[in-house]
Amino acid sequence: MEKIESLQNGRVKNWKKLATKKGREQSGTYLLDGWHLVKEAMAAQATVKTVMGTAAAWREYGDLMPRDLNALEISPEIAKTISDTVTPQGIFAEVAVPEAATALPDVVHGAWLFLDAVQDPGNIGTMVRTADAAGFAGVVFGRGTADQFAPKVVRAMQGSQFHIQLVTEDLYAALRYFKRSGLAVYGTKLDPTAVNFREVQSGADFGLIMGNEGNGMADQLGTLTKANLYIPILGQAESLNVAVAAGVLMFQLKQE
Amino acid sequence: MEKIESLQNGRVKNWKKLATKKGREQSGTYLLDGWHLVKEAMAAQATVKTVMGTAAAWREYGDLMPRDLNALEISPEIAKTISDTVTPQGIFAEVAVPEAATALPDVVHGAWLFLDAVQDPGNIGTMVRTADAAGFAGVVFGRGTADQFAPKVVRAMQGSQFHIQLVTEDLYAALRYFKRSGLAVYGTKLDPTAVNFREVQSGADFGLIMGNEGNGMADQLGTLTKANLYIPILGQAESLNVAVAAGVLMFQLKQE
């Protein structure tokens, strides 16, 4: 197996660039960090360009991988350099950004989460993971929402990008599209005059919009929804973390 | 107002030490970073030792604060040094760690969250904030759970430490104590043979145990609960983020 030891190697520099949106757009790939994600990518038959591992990682995981990989050995220093974590497992994959990531399917089915200008990559990734767990079909990333394949988003998704559809789309366009498909879209508001989330019968196919951490969903989006939902706050906290609120709503609306 | 400009000033060094558990134990205080938290501390009449602000922060917030504060002006460089955030607002308070943080009340009422070896400070703080929002009475921090007043915990709590009780206690002792008080305690398991969380009638007073991110709740704790709950996973995700799972469970169990 080919070994890379120098931090100055061109491929190492390219892997580091995958931490930026520009780098991912230039290469059409993003980085998976850790065995769980590498395993998920292979199970999902994602387009794996290269698998990079330290000698220790290849000893541990090599037998669990297919034979026809484009495999490279990297030094522990390189592993530290390209990882977003403090103590990387030492196993990585460079995988293709799926083309489907840019468009809604022709016919929309199932439950979908809409993200309106959500900022925190950990929140975004956690919401994708939760949407997967709750049986949602996909997540629509609206304008101003952090990139799907930023390292902290990828880490928090825990591989759910291989299970459900991730789409980048203007939310107003997506909302019209859902309406034409006969699907209700619900907004969310931190406003007790909105509809209590426990009083909605959404059925299995619908959209649910979560908004920005500080400002919530855009007011204009809220005028176009079937209803806007709120979660009653019983204590003195002013609000919920957006990923927690999304979890409470998704598991309430989608029950089957 | 007294000004501090040197990063070498003894007080600056002490504020930096508050980022560590040892530093907080030595001083009996912890640090609040940002106007929202400083405001919450004053509203809750917490023991505020000192309020530190940059000149810009005093111009913005000075009129909103009581006159009898122990107030200091700090340089923007000092603000950056003592802050856990990249772009601090420039307003801080050093407040006393409450003594009540170490013991359960004599008579336990309400709903309580138990944290069993939860590791991530963001998860912990988010769970405290969610417990507050869901109308819980308090949170019991068990052994192996990160410290209540670590900077990232404080940031994620968003001031909820001033609204509900935070207690550090051995969870086995707490569980016996709750049982003697006639309160049911529910565990959580990632196991479809456990009880579906939607099928439990907990009433308003109970305990709910959330476990470690990787390993879940300790098996031995699970043998001592009234029931162990699970959240059905409808998709392919292996699990939920612990703070999301806690939110889903808390808002399901505590409805009134």
Side-chain angles (χ1 to χ4, degrees):
Chain A
M1 188 184 307
E2 187 183 346
K3 274 191 202 181
I4 302 184
E5 309 241 358
S6 166
L7 292 171
Q8 304 308 317
N9 184 291
R11 278 190 278 194
V12 176
K13 288 183 181 173
N14 283 333
W15 294 326
K16 283 173 74 172
K17 282 187 195 153
L18 298 181
T20 68
K21 185 166 186 174
K22 191 178 161 198
R24 293 189 295 277
E25 282 173 350
Q26 282 176 347
S27 71
T29 60
Y30 70 102
L31 205 66
L32 300 175
D33 182 346
W35 173 240
H36 176 72
L37 295 183
V38 174
K39 187 181 59 175
E40 289 268 359
M42 292 188 299
Q45 301 190 294
T47 305
V48 177
K49 304 274 185 186
T50 312
V51 176
M52 305 83 90
T54 59
W58 283 115
R59 276 194 300 276
E60 187 161 359
Y61 307 112
D63 290 345
L64 306 168
M65 286 199 246
R67 292 288 134 210
D68 57 348
L69 280 177
N70 182 12
L72 287 175
E73 185 182 324
I74 56 174
S75 68
E77 291 68 36
I78 293 174
K80 277 211 170 169
T81 294
I82 65 176
S83 176
D84 186 44
T85 65
V86 181
T87 50
Q89 290 181 314
I91 186 87
F92 303 84
E94 183 181 357
V95 297
V97 170
E99 291 187 24
T102 51
L104 281 165
D106 286 341
V107 182
V108 183
H109 290 299
W112 288 73
L113 185 67
F114 289 36
L115 303 181
D116 179 30
V118 181
Q119 293 297 305
D120 181 81
N123 282 338
I124 293 168
T126 300
M127 285 193 275
V128 171
R129 176 182 175 191
T130 308
D132 178 10
F136 274 48
V139 179
V140 184
F141 285 61
R143 290 213 181 101
T145 292
D147 187 69
Q148 293 170 14
F149 299 108
K152 286 185 205 310
V153 175
V154 172
R155 176 144 50 116
M157 288 196 290
Q158 298 238 339
S160 287
Q161 72 269 36
F162 301 118
H163 307 151
I164 64 175
Q165 289 181 267
L166 306 188
V167 167
T168 298
E169 179 62 274
D170 175 83
L171 292 191
Y172 294 93
L175 217 143
R176 286 191 298 273
Y177 195 83
F178 271 61
K179 278 190 176 173
R180 277 204 305 271
S181 303
L183 269 62
V185 177
Y186 299 95
T188 45
K189 281 204 168 175
L190 198 65
D191 175 358
T193 66
V195 178
N196 185 321
F197 78 111
R198 293 194 176 101
E199 289 161 10
V200 171
Q201 300 295 328
S202 63
D205 294 9
F206 61 90
L208 170 69
I209 309 172
M210 298 305 301
N212 174 269
E213 286 88 346
N215 304 317
M217 182 185 68
D219 284 342
Q220 205 191 330
L221 270 177
T223 64
L224 302 169
T225 54
K226 180 169 182 189
N228 296 317
L229 313 182
Y230 86 104
I231 300 172
I233 302 284
L234 299 176
Q236 298 172 69
E238 290 181 6
S239 63
L240 287 167
N241 166 278
V242 64
V244 172
V248 170
L249 292 169
M250 287 193 273
F251 275 90
Q252 175 68 23
L253 296 181
K254 184 121 175 63
Q255 296 188 26
E256 63 208 43
Chain B
M1 187 185 307
E2 188 183 348
K3 275 190 202 179
I4 302 184
E5 310 242 358
S6 166
L7 292 170
Q8 304 307 319
N9 184 291
R11 277 189 279 195
V12 176
K13 289 183 179 172
N14 282 333
W15 294 326
K16 284 175 72 172
K17 281 187 196 152
L18 298 181
T20 66
K21 184 165 187 175
K22 192 178 162 198
R24 293 190 295 277
E25 282 174 350
Q26 281 175 346
S27 71
T29 61
Y30 70 102
L31 205 65
L32 299 175
D33 182 346
W35 173 239
H36 176 72
L37 296 183
V38 174
K39 188 180 59 174
E40 290 267 1
M42 293 188 299
Q45 301 190 296
T47 305
V48 178
K49 304 274 185 185
T50 313
V51 176
M52 304 84 90
T54 59
W58 282 115
R59 276 195 299 277
E60 186 162 357
Y61 307 113
D63 289 344
L64 305 169
M65 286 197 246
R67 293 288 135 209
D68 57 347
L69 280 176
N70 183 13
L72 286 175
E73 186 183 324
I74 55 174
S75 67
E77 291 68 36
I78 293 174
K80 277 211 170 169
T81 295
I82 65 176
S83 177
D84 187 45
T85 65
V86 180
T87 52
Q89 292 180 312
I91 186 88
F92 303 84
E94 183 181 356
V95 297
V97 170
E99 290 188 24
T102 50
L104 281 165
D106 285 341
V107 183
V108 183
H109 291 297
W112 289 73
L113 185 68
F114 289 36
L115 303 181
D116 178 31
V118 180
Q119 293 297 304
D120 181 81
N123 282 339
I124 292 167
T126 299
M127 285 194 272
V128 171
R129 176 183 175 192
T130 308
D132 178 11
F136 274 48
V139 179
V140 184
F141 285 61
R143 291 214 180 101
T145 292
D147 187 69
Q148 294 171 13
F149 300 109
K152 286 185 205 309
V153 175
V154 172
R155 176 143 50 116
M157 287 196 291
Q158 298 239 338
S160 286
Q161 73 269 35
F162 300 119
H163 306 152
I164 64 175
Q165 288 180 268
L166 306 188
V167 167
T168 299
E169 179 63 272
D170 176 83
L171 291 191
Y172 294 92
L175 217 143
R176 286 192 299 271
Y177 196 81
F178 270 59
K179 278 191 177 172
R180 277 205 305 270
S181 303
L183 270 61
V185 177
Y186 299 94
T188 46
K189 281 205 167 174
L190 196 66
D191 175 357
T193 65
V195 178
N196 185 322
F197 78 110
R198 294 194 176 99
E199 288 162 10
V200 171
Q201 300 295 328
S202 63
D205 295 8
F206 61 90
L208 170 68
I209 308 172
M210 299 303 302
N212 174 269
E213 285 89 346
N215 304 318
M217 182 186 68
D219 284 341
Q220 204 192 330
L221 269 177
T223 64
L224 302 170
T225 54
K226 180 169 182 189
N228 295 317
L229 313 182
Y230 87 104
I231 300 173
I233 302 282
L234 298 176
Q236 297 172 69
E238 288 182 7
S239 62
L240 286 167
N241 166 277
V242 65
V244 171
V248 170
L249 292 168
M250 286 194 272
F251 275 90
Q252 174 69 23
L253 295 182
K254 184 123 175 60
Q255 296 187 27
E256 65 205 43

